[in-house]
Amino acid sequence: MKSLFGILTIIFVLCAVDAKAQNVNKNRPQDSGWNVTVGAGGLVSPTYMGDDEYKFMAVPDVRITYEDKFFASVQEGVGFNVMNTAHWKAGPLLRYDFGRDEDGDSIFRVGGDKADDLRGLGDVDGTVELGAFAEYTMQPLSAKIEILQGIGGHEGLIGSAEIKYNGRAQLQQNAIIYAFGPEIEFSDSNYHDAYFGVNANQSTASGLERYDADSGVLSYGIGASAIIPVTDEVSTVLFANYSHLGEEAANSSLVETRGSEHQGVAGLFVNYSF
């Protein structure tokens, strides 16, 4: 998990099976190729990446797709399938990282205390991230990798890779679509330093020992999701994820003194497609 953006990204990476296929209104006289999904949900996550205390967030979801070519959402970013075959999808990806506030608060927080752990460390500004993705599917398995470079804000290079087992189970008249599997995130020293580094001034202001992070694994773990169609237009999404921070993040004085290397996220969304 990373910042707010990272948490949201994980949620919808876990939902790797496209709910759109289950939610499109089959009674529409014509299909223009465009699909819009709106929804909202709640999730429990660490107050900040590396914290041992948790908050409850109410988060909106808006996703727009055009056929199997274009997608745009707050969670996944904006992407285009330049390569789009039976097994391969690949193309450019643009995303936004919301950063981290020194006061430990979030506009989406509705429960749980604000963290005071970050006092003296300063804010991590929001970051535009530009890169690419590639995905290979050979049912029931799929594999995906993303690489993004931050422009402004953390200015770091970040990436992720995952393998998912995708399946379907029948529950009365509804088919539950599920996915689970391992995932890993990695980043360079700029990203690690932005979220886990403590320089001389920050050490004085926060009381934490100085720490200079290098590049390496950011986190590794396992995630699972289930999509339960309620009607042709409405679906419920359940998700859960556990990850362990990599050595560079886990050894930070912030995590060792005030947080935890063990991180988890869980929640539920309800979406409407039209």
Side-chain angles (χ1 to χ4, degrees):
M1 278 57 48
K2 308 179 288 190
S3 68
L4 173 60
F5 149 73
I7 293 170
L8 296 177
T9 301
I10 288 169
I11 292 170
F12 287 88
V13 167
L14 296 181
C15 302
V17 182
D18 189 1
K20 178 186 70 174
Q22 298 297 319
N23 296 335
V24 173
N25 186 347
K26 301 178 181 62
N27 297 320
R28 276 186 287 182
Q30 295 182 346
D31 188 351
S32 67
W34 288 97
N35 180 258
V36 178
T37 301
V38 296
L43 63 110
V44 178
S45 70
T47 304
Y48 60 87
M49 179 173 43
D51 197 11
D52 58 354
E53 296 184 354
Y54 284 72
K55 62 185 174 185
F56 178 76
M57 296 193 296
V59 183
D61 174 34
V62 178
R63 175 181 171 86
I64 302 171
T65 61
Y66 178 70
E67 295 181 342
D68 200 18
K69 300 176 182 178
F70 169 84
F71 60 88
S73 72
V74 176
Q75 292 79 18
E76 293 180 309
V78 179
F80 189 83
N81 294 323
V82 174
M83 178 184 293
N84 194 354
T85 69
H87 298 293
W88 283 98
K89 290 183 181 180
L93 185 63
L94 176 68
R95 196 175 276 158
Y96 186 76
D97 183 330
F98 286 91
R100 186 185 70 189
D101 291 338
E102 184 180 22
D103 64 6
D105 202 5
S106 164
I107 60 173
F108 299 109
R109 183 180 65 87
V110 295
D113 296 332
K114 292 193 300 181
D116 293 328
D117 298 359
L118 305 174
R119 297 289 183 183
L121 297 180
D123 295 340
V124 180
D125 293 335
T127 307
V128 174
E129 297 172 338
L130 182 62
F133 72 94
E135 182 175 2
Y136 179 77
T137 301
M138 179 67 76
Q139 292 294 348
L141 298 177
S142 63
K144 186 175 183 178
I145 186 169
E146 298 178 350
I147 299 179
L148 295 160
Q149 174 63 53
I151 302 172
H154 61 67
E155 296 185 343
L157 178 69
I158 60 173
S160 64
E162 66 172 23
I163 298 175
K164 288 290 186 291
Y165 179 90
N166 306 298
R168 183 186 298 259
Q170 195 69 29
L171 178 63
Q172 295 180 352
Q173 296 183 354
N174 291 330
I176 300 176
I177 305 168
Y178 61 87
F180 63 89
E183 50 201 28
I184 187 170
E185 297 175 302
F186 49 90
S187 64
D188 66 3
S189 58
N190 286 336
Y191 187 92
H192 270 127
D193 265 337
Y195 285 101
F196 299 100
V198 182
N199 61 34
N201 292 334
Q202 291 171 330
S203 177
T204 300
S206 67
L208 294 169
E209 292 185 7
R210 292 185 60 178
Y211 182 72
D212 186 18
D214 204 347
S215 58
V217 173
L218 176 62
S219 69
Y220 54 92
I222 187 169
S225 68
I227 302 172
I228 307 174
V230 179
T231 68
D232 289 345
E233 297 86 13
V234 179
S235 63
T236 300
V237 180
L238 305 172
F239 53 86
N241 172 278
Y242 166 79
S243 67
H244 189 285
L245 293 179
E247 182 178 357
E248 292 299 321
N251 289 341
S252 167
S253 56
L254 171 64
V255 176
E256 287 188 339
T257 305
R258 302 174 180 175
S260 172
E261 58 194 20
H262 303 285
Q263 304 283 282
V265 176
L268 179 149
F269 271 69
V270 176
N271 292 330
Y272 178 83
S273 234
F274 58 90

